[in-house]
Amino acid sequence: MKNEEKFNKLFSAFVLIGMTVALVLTTALKLGDSTGGKILLLVSAFGSLMGVMSTVFSANGNILTFLFGFLDVSIYGVICFINWRNGGTGLGNALLHLVYFVPMQFIGLAQWRKSGASSTDKPAAKRLDARGWLITSLLLLLGSVALYFILAHFDKSAAGTFLKWSVILDVITLACNILGQLFMSNAYMEQWFFWIGVNIFSILMWSWTLSQTGGSYALIYIIKYSFYLINSIYGLRIWLALSRKEA
């Protein structure tokens, strides 16, 4: 047991350091390219660091994940809103984070407490039954189709094509994010299947960007989401054990 706890701590530190290094490199590049708005970039970097902390704490079943998660999604949502107010894009992301992800942090905190989580104890992890998987599959399918037509309507790239692959990757990533947060807040082990999906499709999306435009940004994001993917697989391992214990 002591060896497993030691491994978990060392592995969490490895993932945390890797994701933080990728974040620092990305921020340094953006600061070098930026001619203004550097304060917002630094605030955004702080929010992203909170997101890194939230992800690692979530994998370990630590209820503090919701504190870091709240800071992450609040900061990102406000920055997207400011960007939109200044004539840019980001209204959709602002609404998604402020209207959905922020309240889900409080719901998650309450649900985890009900399942026995504290600063020292992990939550009693739940699993979906067959009916739950059926409902989830239908939600994923119908939600993805609806999101595709909404995003494709506003997307100006590859105009005239029936299928826009960049939009498809965005839709799948967004749908997995929404369902992942829903299952995370309700302490379901299956959240990690969706987080793995988010990270795989994010890697594919940035790999596609790298092949089209090149540049160090895309490469660093590939590295960043690769660390997130490693952490998601690690989280699945931890939560499989938690859900077996509860069963």
Side-chain angles (χ1 to χ4, degrees):
M1 191 66 178
K2 287 184 178 179
N3 287 335
E4 184 178 350
E5 289 177 0
K6 184 178 180 181
F7 169 79
N8 290 343
K9 288 179 180 178
L10 288 173
F11 192 87
S12 296
F14 164 72
V15 172
L16 183 59
I17 291 169
M19 289 193 289
T20 303
V21 168
L23 171 62
V24 169
L25 290 174
T26 307
T27 304
L29 283 172
K30 288 181 178 179
L31 285 171
D33 294 342
S34 175
T35 56
K38 293 188 177 182
I39 292 177
L40 275 181
L41 276 175
L42 291 173
V43 172
S44 177
F46 173 75
S48 296
L49 180 60
M50 295 299 98
V52 168
M53 297 290 290
S54 175
T55 302
V56 173
F57 273 73
S58 174
N60 286 281
N62 191 309
I63 199 167
L64 288 176
T65 183
F66 295 108
L67 170 62
F68 296 113
F70 171 75
L71 293 171
D72 172 31
V73 297
S74 298
I75 290 171
Y76 186 71
V78 169
I79 286 176
C80 286
F81 183 75
I82 291 172
N83 186 57
W84 173 72
R85 284 292 302 271
N86 291 335
T89 59
L91 179 60
N93 265 326
L95 292 173
L96 176 67
H97 281 74
L98 297 175
V99 176
Y100 176 71
F101 285 118
V102 168
M104 289 303 288
Q105 307 309 308
F106 294 99
I107 292 171
L109 181 65
Q111 291 298 320
W112 278 38
R113 283 190 178 279
K114 284 183 182 179
S115 64
S118 66
S119 58
T120 55
D121 296 320
K122 293 177 172 57
K126 295 176 279 189
R127 286 195 185 188
L128 288 175
D129 55 16
R131 180 172 175 271
W133 268 115
L134 177 61
I135 294 171
T136 300
S137 300
L138 289 173
L139 283 174
L140 182 61
L141 177 62
L142 297 175
S144 296
V145 171
L147 283 170
Y148 175 80
F149 284 109
I150 292 170
L151 294 181
H153 176 73
F154 294 101
D155 185 78
K156 303 301 180 185
S157 65
T161 57
F162 179 68
L163 288 177
K164 300 180 180 181
W165 293 106
S166 60
V167 177
I168 289 174
L169 289 175
D170 271 341
V171 164
I172 295 173
T173 304
L174 180 57
C176 286
N177 258 308
I178 292 171
L179 286 174
Q181 181 64 65
L182 177 65
F183 288 129
M184 175 194 169
S185 293
N186 288 282
Y188 276 93
M189 177 276 295
E190 285 79 6
Q191 62 171 295
W192 294 104
F193 295 129
F194 294 100
W195 294 136
I196 289 170
V198 167
N199 296 316
I200 288 174
F201 285 104
S202 294
I203 291 169
L204 291 174
M205 185 170 62
W206 284 107
S207 297
W208 182 83
T209 301
L210 182 65
S211 69
Q212 297 295 311
T213 61
S216 50
Y217 280 112
L219 182 59
I220 292 173
Y221 274 112
I222 291 169
I223 295 170
K224 173 185 172 181
Y225 281 106
S226 295
F227 273 103
Y228 272 110
L229 177 59
I230 292 169
N231 185 69
S232 297
I233 295 170
Y234 166 71
L236 177 61
R237 169 183 166 270
I238 296 291
W239 281 68
L240 277 170
L242 288 176
S243 61
R244 279 197 295 266
K245 187 187 296 184
E246 181 62 18

